[in-house]
Amino acid sequence: MCGIVGYIGKREAYPILVKGLHRLEYRGYDSAGCALLSDEGLKVYKAKGKVSDLEGVVAKAASPSVLKSTLGIAHTRWATHGVPSETNAHPHVSESGHITLVHNGIIENYATLREQLKRKGYHFKSETDTEVLVQLIEYTQKQKRCNLCDAVRQALNLVYGAYAIAVIDERHPEELVCARKSSPLAVGVVDDRSEFFLASDASPIAEYTKHIIYLKDEEVALISRGKEIKIYKLTGEETQGEVKEVNLDLSMLDHDGFDHFMLKEIFDQPNVLKDCMSGRIVESPYSSAQTGHDGPTSGLQVVLSAVTQHRRELLRARRIIIVSCGTSWHAGLIGKQYLEHFCRIPVDVAYASEFRYSDPVIEPDDVVMAISQSGETADTLAAIQQAKAHGAMVFGIVNGVGSSIARESHTGVYIHVGPEIGVASTKAFTGQVTVLAMIALALGMAKGTVSQEEYDETIHELLQIPDKIRTVLKQNDKIKKMAERFAEASNCLYLGRGWNFPVALEGALKLKEISYIHAEGYPAAEMKHGPIALVDNQMPVVFIATHHGLYQKIISNMQEVISRGGHIYAVVTEGDEQVKNMVDDIIEVPQTIGWLVPLLSVIPLQLLSYHVAVAKGLNVDQPRNLAKSVTVE
Ligand code: AGP
């Protein structure tokens, strides 16, 4: 994980670096550091903790002339090798003190390289794999008597693993060198080439320029101040970077008056789901030849260009394999229900981390769908590379525009819910489910496996979802009160069936990741096969018991919990009387069709976990040990 920022140009680098680090703190936040090159030479500042801790260190230690530096690199860390500490924080400095480097990724063969370098007289201060890289670059530079860019390139040829790096040599104050493999790195360029910005994603760059080059795997870039960027392959051959225009809504990156990003993002859902559907559910003026499907030529239609353009491959798919992790995997479980029902295509949902190392049977006609909020999750990226190697078409469902997974996929649909900053995924989940519903409807109509009536009804209901979420959000205060009692628990169960089973898993994940309360999600009927042994009067049990499908059976499961003293919190459909007579803590969601109920029933669970974490005084947006973008395996 980790976040990298770099700047070379004519402005003071430090404010740009610090602002960028704040934007990237979602990638890791156990320590931070920066290196500034000025008339005083190379100065490195580090702090254990957050970027704000680093700011404190710099405020005390850096002289005014250092702060005038116009070349710098910075890093916010998520520890992989070595505990979070000042020593292990980046930037790391070479033996001579001339070269400094920040790194995101893992150097797999660092232990061997470290031993070899130690034998050559290099000393190591930290426990990190990164320090090996900076020493290796210096060693290569000395041995080959080459410039910094060549030394970086040749050193990287000796390395196995993943990296995005930015490197400065104090003897070359007009140059910044960077490189990447399997970890993202974006270079922002202004039109007159007077300044260049580096970052792990576009968010620290977007306010300075829209023009971004995403380095490709095994590319090294030499940036010369005020002049140019030259890109080389690891082989040494020069290559061209493609400048893309990236439009990022920076207002989305602020709290907007909410106490935390997570709460803002929960409340964002009505608006961003509208954005997600906008231009995709349309009153169709098109003929079926234009839409590319056999649907009606009047009335509302789902039109997704990825489905239209890849209609043939999608129609001949004998199986869809969804690969994803965490919350995105839960969305995948709901996607399976949609695709199987509306398109009659069998769907497997695999954890990307397992899929990548399995020996999967992938036929060339299979379609692999990769779901990812960040678009940078290392396991999901590796899974799609595995799928591509087997000849499958890869269809990405991604939020991060221009992200690695988006670029690696053959085609796909962006969920368009805006940047998600809180580590706990909320609006991305509902966005993913919405997109999956639209894909299943569009494909089902193209295949002729969905009836006109169900197609129309589902589209009509999808369009009502944003307003219905608003109704759920009105119960925020009530949920906050419930959370105060809930916060005393140390274990709990989330139970749901059918459409609401993935919601139970998602509710449990949300709670454990930000409140540190142990929670398990189960299909409600599985309870009697083991988990019921846990139920006692200390144990909250959350039932998602909306008025669909197996409602009556869920009621029986509730009785079983009540008779064992368990305390029930229930999510029910508006107007429910039966559960109300059994249970005190009820949260109502508006009526909708069963297929779309997860989009409503998950909202109270997001709010519940948020308020429990706040009641426990925990850091909601940056929970311990986690990071937003999991770019290591
Ligand atoms: C969700 O709340 C988690 N923080 C996590 O499970 C996340 O969904 C997972 O790491 C996958 O991330 P992605 O969607 O960016 O690929």
Side-chain angles (χ1 to χ4, degrees), residues 252-317:
M252 284 282 199
L253 301 176
D254 292 329
H255 272 166
D256 235 0
F258 287 92
D259 287 346
H260 299 94
F261 278 114
M262 182 180 176
L263 190 62
K264 171 189 182 271
E265 287 158 4
I266 292 172
F267 274 80
D268 268 351
Q269 288 175 106
N271 287 336
V272 296
L273 292 190
K274 267 192 176 163
D275 293 346
C276 167
M277 290 185 273
S278 148
R280 291 159 166 185
I281 296 182
V282 289
E283 183 73 49
S284 183
Y286 306 115
S287 68
S288 56
Q290 280 170 306
T291 60
H293 65 60
D294 311 319
T297 50
S298 64
L300 291 171
Q301 296 188 36
V302 178
V303 181
L304 295 168
S305 56
V307 175
T308 308
Q309 282 162 14
H310 293 270
R311 183 174 193 261
R312 197 174 327 141
E313 295 98 311
L314 290 167
L315 285 181
R316 75 166 181 238

Side-chain angles (χ1 to χ4, degrees), residues 325-328 372-375 377 423-425 432 509-510 513 630:
C325 306
T327 288
S328 299
S372 174
Q373 185 288 126
S374 60
T377 302
V423 163
S425 190
Q432 288 161 345
L509 175 64
K510 243 19 8 138
E513 69 180 331
V630 187

